[in-house]
Amino acid sequence: MNGVGKTTTIGKLAARYRNDGRRVLLVAADTFRAAAVEQLELWAGRVGADVIAQQVGADPAAVVVDGLRAARTRGSDVVIVDTAGRLHTKKNLMEELAKVRRVTARECPGAPHDTLLVLDATTGQNGLQQARIFQEVLEVTGVVITKMDGTARGGVAVSVASELGIPIRFVGLGEGPQDLAPFDAQHFVSALLDSETNANPEQEGPMNCKGPTVSKRV
């Protein structure tokens, strides 16, 4: 979706792989916004990853093909594709995502090995409908919940995981390269229940407005 922190999440994922000693190539398939390409290039330079990009307005699927072929030539271990944010109600844009998936599978049998849906923790129940439609089009394998460093409690994570069976893989906790943590379900639920209890006006003591405090363990 638009503005949820996809490109930032990709930069953080790239940092994790680079810390493991892997060669990472980022593909700038969000060709709608010049700023998106520039942001991905900044992250690539920041974490030591390669990046493949074309001009604004290029066919995203064509950029992905270039990226995968470059990855083979360069001996990359990991390829991460950044796609444009879009409303799940826009059929033509969803079809474009499906095309990206098809050309990925054609260029690299078995790919994409992971398809991550990035959701903002402040998203309400509309996030469940978003996830449902993206799941139908792309076979989403995991969800990343961003902006968990704010006041949101991230309740959408519970709905997505329980109703759609899509695992929550990571949570975003800030803007730095290391601010991405594996999702800890037990810790999350405990913090969520604590915040609900503290928000109850019948309970004694100050209200806790911080929401779940998710471990930054990486």
Side-chain angles (χ1 to χ4, degrees):
M1 299 297 292
N2 292 303
V4 298
K6 295 180 307 303
T7 305
T8 297
T9 297
I10 284 174
K12 295 175 183 178
L13 283 171
R16 290 177 63 87
Y17 284 121
R18 290 291 296 139
N19 288 339
D20 288 340
R22 301 188 187 184
R23 296 188 63 179
V24 180
L25 185 141
L26 307 181
V27 179
D30 181 355
T31 59
F32 292 117
R33 296 185 304 117
V37 175
E38 294 171 357
Q39 185 183 7
L40 195 67
E41 289 174 337
L42 286 172
W43 270 107
R46 189 176 183 183
V47 304
D50 294 329
V51 62
I52 294 295
Q54 292 186 12
Q55 70 275 14
V56 176
D59 179 6
V63 181
V64 172
V65 170
D66 285 350
L68 292 173
R69 292 177 180 177
R72 283 196 294 269
T73 300
R74 302 180 188 190
S76 302
D77 300 307
V78 179
V79 177
I80 307 177
V81 178
D82 185 18
T83 59
R86 65 202 65 218
L87 292 174
H88 56 293
T89 54
K90 298 295 184 180
K91 184 178 180 180
N92 62 320
L93 296 181
M94 296 302 289
E95 289 175 347
E96 182 182 78
L97 272 184
K99 179 182 177 182
V100 167
R101 180 179 177 83
R102 289 194 301 270
V103 300
T104 301
R106 185 189 68 202
E107 290 293 320
C108 181
H113 303 93
D114 257 332
T115 302
L116 299 178
L117 174 64
V118 183
L119 292 175
D120 187 324
T122 63
T123 302
Q125 284 303 303
N126 187 47
L128 177 60
Q129 179 64 8
Q130 296 169 8
R132 181 179 288 113
I133 295 177
F134 278 101
Q135 169 75 328
E136 292 172 356
V137 174
L138 295 174
E139 300 179 21
V140 176
T141 58
V143 172
V144 179
I145 305 294
T146 61
K147 305 180 185 179
M148 288 294 293
D149 54 325
T151 58
R153 291 176 296 199
V156 66
V158 178
S159 298
V160 170
S162 63
E163 297 194 30
L164 301 183
I166 304 175
I168 310 300
R169 300 281 293 280
F170 294 99
V171 291
L173 302 167
E175 296 298 320
Q178 306 303 319
D179 292 331
L180 186 73
F183 180 70
D184 185 328
Q186 184 175 359
H187 188 94
F188 175 84
V189 172
S190 296
L192 184 64
L193 293 176
D194 285 346
S195 66
E196 289 287 355
T197 299
N198 290 332
N200 188 339
E202 296 181 0
Q203 298 290 329
E204 295 182 359
M207 180 181 296
N208 177 6
C209 297
K210 294 183 179 180
T213 302
V214 183
S215 172
K216 287 194 179 183
R217 184 179 65 253
V218 296

